[in-house]
Amino acid sequence: MTSIVSNRLSGSRLPGSLSLAASLVLLSVLPARAQAIRGRVALPDSTPVVGARVELHRVGDDGGALLDSTISGGSGEFSFPLDTAGAPGALFLAAARYLDVLYWGPPMHGTAVPSEDGYLVQVFDTVAVPGPVDYLRTTMRHVVITPTVSALQVSEIIDVAGPPDRTLVSSGDSIAVWETSLAEGAHAVVSEEGGVPPEDLLLGKGSLGFRGALSPEGIRVAVSYVVPSSDFVLDVGDPTERLEVLVMPRPGLDLKVNGLAEAPTGAEMRIPVRRFTATDVARGTTVSVRSSIRQPGDGRPWAWLIAAIVLGAAALFMVRLNARHS
């Protein structure tokens, strides 16, 4: 930041003493550039974690990069020098590996003033489970449905809250720690960008499982699939704080909806969709969106199908963008 101030003042006509005074004033009001990230690795009860591998990462417009690594000391402490000259707008964050699970600290701008309490990377003890646990909840489930004459294209984003004080790990490679149901008849299930790595998912016919490490930070799952009928019928697999369904429009589309209430789309959704929501949905609740399409009389059904698919992709993008900022 000193170089920025100097460059701004070098072309001024101020006397030398006044230039120095102006520099000191500017430096007092502009944010200080962090010279290092100094922090510690600890459990939730503040017990320090000694000997953990700690990494420094940078995330910018050009992607992410691992910059440095170290081992936490006797009180869990670590320190990284911070060089922000080449990436003024980047975010920096530290991550610590504990019991084979990687935990992330909060992101920090290079121009941020370090906290007096230091930078904390909180880690958790792990518990191996022999199958999906039944006490997890979904905080948000977004569903985008694109109807066709004989099938539905469905995309989902599911946010799952982790346990409050531990990380769940699978006791076997083919065992899920969390599982939920998909719509009846769902097949051709594929992982989508924006969620957990595809290798951590167990994709079944009508079901979806996660076999990775599920920490208190929770997970986001993104998938798409096909329902070979005109009916979207979902038996909610775990308690869900908010369920939101967007249905792409097309000429002649009629809907019969149960378990959801129609709601306005809001100004941020610039796509003419129909939106249905429910809150505090209990496990085992059945919701349905049954569609029927009256064939258009102009002989161009494929044009409407292509338009619906394009709108569906755009709506999913908006859902991901809104979920990312929620």
Side-chain angles (χ1 to χ4, degrees), residues 137-263:
R137 74 185 194 282
T138 294
T139 56
M140 173 66 86
R141 186 164 183 168
H142 296 274
V143 182
V144 178
I145 301 174
T146 302
T148 69
V149 174
S150 59
L152 304 174
Q153 176 67 43
V154 181
S155 297
E156 294 203 37
I157 297 175
I158 307 172
D159 289 341
V160 182
D165 57 355
R166 66 195 64 190
T167 294
L168 304 180
V169 295
S170 174
S171 59
D173 291 341
S174 60
I175 296 175
V177 300
W178 167 84
E179 188 175 57
T180 195
S181 56
L182 299 175
E184 290 182 6
H187 73 283
V189 185
V190 296
S191 175
E192 296 284 358
E193 291 185 3
V196 297
E199 59 269 22
D200 286 339
L201 291 180
L202 295 172
L203 305 176
K205 188 174 182 180
S207 67
L208 173 65
F210 175 74
R211 62 181 177 184
L214 207 168
S215 74
E217 296 174 346
I219 56 171
R220 169 165 291 174
V221 176
V223 296
S224 64
Y225 55 89
V226 174
V227 174
S229 75
S230 300
D231 297 337
F232 175 86
V233 180
L234 175 66
D235 293 326
V236 178
D238 40 40
T240 300
E241 294 179 9
R242 185 171 184 84
L243 174 62
E244 182 164 301
V245 178
L246 301 180
V247 182
M248 297 299 103
R250 57 172 296 169
L253 177 64
D254 291 325
L255 298 176
K256 291 183 179 181
V257 180
N258 290 312
L260 300 160
E262 188 155 11

Side-chain angles (χ1 to χ4, degrees), residues 9-323:
L9 294 178
S10 61
S12 68
R13 300 178 182 274
L14 297 174
S17 59
L18 186 56
S19 297
L20 176 60
S23 299
L24 292 175
V25 170
L26 284 173
L27 286 172
S28 67
V29 298
L30 289 175
R33 185 179 298 277
Q35 300 299 317
I37 290 183
R38 296 183 178 87
R40 60 192 180 91
V41 183
L43 291 164
D45 62 0
S46 298
T47 300
V49 175
V50 181
R53 177 181 171 83
V54 188
E55 302 172 348
L56 176 64
H57 293 256
R58 182 185 65 211
V59 180
D61 293 337
D62 56 348
L66 171 62
L67 301 181
D68 200 356
S69 65
T70 187
I71 300 297
S72 61
S75 59
E77 81 280 359
F78 64 88
S79 177
F80 292 111
L82 206 58
D83 180 8
T84 62
L91 293 173
F92 295 84
L93 62 166
R97 187 170 295 278
Y98 177 66
L99 300 178
D100 292 328
V101 179
L102 190 65
Y103 297 91
W104 296 90
M108 187 179 81
H109 284 282
T111 55
V113 178
S115 168
E116 294 182 359
D117 297 331
Y119 186 100
L120 175 65
V121 181
Q122 193 169 77
V123 300
F124 300 86
D125 286 327
T126 61
V127 175
V129 296
V133 299
D134 59 3
Y135 55 80
L136 299 177
R137 74 185 194 282
T138 294
T139 56
M140 173 66 86
R141 186 164 183 168
H142 296 274
V143 182
V144 178
I145 301 174
T146 302
T148 69
V149 174
S150 59
L152 304 174
Q153 176 67 43
V154 181
S155 297
E156 294 203 37
I157 297 175
I158 307 172
D159 289 341
V160 182
D165 57 355
R166 66 195 64 190
T167 294
L168 304 180
V169 295
S170 174
S171 59
D173 291 341
S174 60
I175 296 175
V177 300
W178 167 84
E179 188 175 57
T180 195
S181 56
L182 299 175
E184 290 182 6
H187 73 283
V189 185
V190 296
S191 175
E192 296 284 358
E193 291 185 3
V196 297
E199 59 269 22
D200 286 339
L201 291 180
L202 295 172
L203 305 176
K205 188 174 182 180
S207 67
L208 173 65
F210 175 74
R211 62 181 177 184
L214 207 168
S215 74
E217 296 174 346
I219 56 171
R220 169 165 291 174
V221 176
V223 296
S224 64
Y225 55 89
V226 174
V227 174
S229 75
S230 300
D231 297 337
F232 175 86
V233 180
L234 175 66
D235 293 326
V236 178
D238 40 40
T240 300
E241 294 179 9
R242 185 171 184 84
L243 174 62
E244 182 164 301
V245 178
L246 301 180
V247 182
M248 297 299 103
R250 57 172 296 169
L253 177 64
D254 291 325
L255 298 176
K256 291 183 179 181
V257 180
N258 290 312
L260 300 160
E262 188 155 11
T265 57
E268 70 279 359
M269 183 64 73
R270 298 181 176 87
I271 301 169
V273 302
R274 293 184 66 179
R275 176 172 171 253
F276 304 89
T277 66
T279 57
D280 297 326
V281 185
R283 177 186 286 112
T285 301
T286 299
V287 299
S288 64
V289 178
R290 303 180 187 275
S291 64
S292 61
I293 300 174
R294 298 187 303 273
Q295 292 291 338
D298 60 5
R300 294 182 297 171
W302 286 108
W304 288 111
L305 173 59
I306 293 172
I309 292 175
V310 171
L311 286 172
L316 181 60
F317 172 78
M318 292 297 297
V319 165
R320 286 176 175 167
L321 186 63
N322 293 337

